């Protein structure tokens, strides 16, 4: 039986190496030969209270930066916006620090580090900052985390008939964990999904029994980034949205599904 979910994309956020935001990233995604790998620039989120701002790790900074971009573009009411946060590893630097502390004779763990170690810590920072009590889901599916998050966000959007903010972000581990789980860069993406006809691009997730590999970026350098960071598995979809042309894509983590992109004339 074929199953299809259709939503519109009202807002997009992007932050990654050489990609400062969605507005500046669109021409580079359309013409990847112009893209240059530069370290991702992370800043403390202005919307967080000072205490939370000091404690925020890289994945929190990434997530809030792209979430703010998407919500601003859509003009969304963040206080009543349901969210889906997905990451392959959570706060990598905090995880490394906890492992180092547990390797000492004292095994003393900072309460703040423990709080930041839970996988829904990013959702907590966002919903505190926006004073939101809307539903929130936090996911992890290793390299398929973006695809799993997209499926969850689209299913919630269609079933509840309400906007859903999807945020996917990953940041590299410090050594020695980096040698075990290497991520090539910090990368984040946000999609504000909604139902109902408007002039926004449309995504349709359709079940498909055909076996096929995940879609690539059509550019070697950009595809290296896609394969180097789980959240960057979103790049083929972002290229299709930036190019404003119809596309049919396979995304890692969405085995058995095709993502169709359609733009209004």
């Amino acid at each position: 039986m074929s199953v299809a979910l259709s939503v519109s994309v009202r807002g997009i956020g992007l932050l990654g190496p050489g990609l400062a935001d969605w507005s500046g990233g669109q021409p580079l995604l359309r013409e990847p030969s112009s893209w240059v790998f530069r370290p991702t620039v992370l800043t403390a989120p202005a919307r967080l209270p000072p205490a939370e701002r000091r404690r925020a790790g890289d994945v929190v900074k990434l997530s809030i930066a792209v979430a703010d971009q998407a919500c601003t573009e859509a003009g969304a009411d963040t206080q009543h916006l349901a969210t889906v946060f997905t990451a392959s590893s959570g706060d990598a630097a905090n995880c490394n620090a906890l492992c180092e502390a547990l390797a000492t004779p004292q095994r003393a763990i900072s309460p703040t580090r423990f709080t930041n170690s839970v996988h829904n810590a990013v959702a907590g920072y966002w919903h505190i900052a926006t004073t939101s009590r809307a539903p929130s889901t936090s996911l992890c599916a290793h390299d398929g985390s973006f695809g799993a998050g997209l499926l969850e966000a689209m299913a919630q959007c269609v079933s509840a008939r309400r906007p859903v903010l999807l945020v996917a972000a990953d940041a590299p581990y410090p050594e020695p964990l980096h040698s075990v789980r290497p991520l090539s860069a910090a990368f984040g993406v946000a999609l504000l999904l909604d139902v109902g006809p408007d002039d926004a691009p449309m995504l349709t997730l359709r079940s498909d029994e055909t076996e096929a590999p995940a879609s690539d970026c059509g550019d070697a350098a950009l595809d290296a980034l896609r394969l180097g960071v789980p959240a960057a598995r979103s790049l083929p979809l972002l290229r299709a949205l930036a190019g404003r042309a119809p596309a049919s894509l396979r995304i890692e983590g969405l085995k058995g599904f095709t993502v169709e992109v359609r733009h209004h004339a």
Side-chain angles (χ1 to χ4, degrees), residues 227-240:
L227 295 173
V229 193
R233 295 329 198 252
S234 59
L235 279 169
L237 174 58
L238 294 175
R239 284 206 69 201

Side-chain angles (χ1 to χ4, degrees), residues 195-219:
V195 290
D198 56 22
D199 58 357
M202 295 294 297
L203 301 185
T204 297
L205 190 62
R206 196 179 304 281
S207 62
D208 184 347
E209 300 300 325
T210 305
E211 292 288 338
S215 303
D216 62 28
C217 292
D219 175 86

Side-chain angles (χ1 to χ4, degrees), residues 8-246:
S8 58
V9 182
R10 292 180 49 212
I12 301 174
L14 172 63
L15 180 57
L19 299 165
D21 53 32
W22 175 240
S23 177
Q26 290 181 71
L28 299 175
L29 294 173
R30 287 193 290 268
E31 295 292 340
S33 61
S34 303
W35 173 71
V36 177
F37 187 104
R38 296 188 178 93
T40 306
V41 178
L42 300 175
T43 58
R47 70 159 59 243
L48 287 178
E52 280 74 22
R53 199 180 306 153
R54 287 193 299 272
R55 297 167 183 157
D58 286 353
V59 75
V60 172
K61 295 174 183 174
L62 266 171
S63 299
I64 292 183
V66 295
D68 272 330
Q69 287 180 43
C71 291
T72 298
E73 181 183 2
D77 174 7
T78 57
Q79 193 174 16
H80 301 95
L81 185 60
T83 59
V84 173
F85 288 88
T86 183
S88 73
S89 56
D91 189 334
N94 189 62
C95 176
N96 191 76
L98 286 172
C99 291
E100 288 178 335
L102 289 171
T104 65
Q106 295 78 19
R107 299 170 64 85
I109 298 297
S110 156
T112 299
R113 289 208 176 279
F114 177 77
T115 299
N116 285 337
S117 71
V118 298
H119 199 66
N120 62 353
V122 179
Y125 276 97
W126 173 258
H127 283 262
I128 289 171
T130 58
T131 63
S132 170
R133 296 188 177 186
S136 183
T137 302
S138 295
L139 295 175
C140 176
H142 197 57
D143 287 344
S145 291
F146 172 74
L150 183 61
L151 173 60
E152 175 69 19
M154 290 182 72
Q156 287 191 23
C157 188
V158 171
S159 63
R161 310 297 296 174
R162 63 183 296 173
V164 176
L165 174 65
L166 167 64
V167 179
D170 285 295
Y173 286 97
E175 292 289 2
L177 291 180
H178 177 74
S179 296
V180 179
R181 173 65 169 160
L183 303 182
S184 64
F187 188 98
V189 58
L191 301 175
L192 202 157
L193 309 178
D194 202 354
V195 290
D198 56 22
D199 58 357
M202 295 294 297
L203 301 185
T204 297
L205 190 62
R206 196 179 304 281
S207 62
D208 184 347
E209 300 300 325
T210 305
E211 292 288 338
S215 303
D216 62 28
C217 292
D219 175 86
L222 206 59
D223 212 49
L225 176 60
R226 177 183 71 90
L227 295 173
V229 193
R233 295 329 198 252
S234 59
L235 279 169
L237 174 58
L238 294 175
R239 284 206 69 201
L241 291 167
R244 304 179 185 279

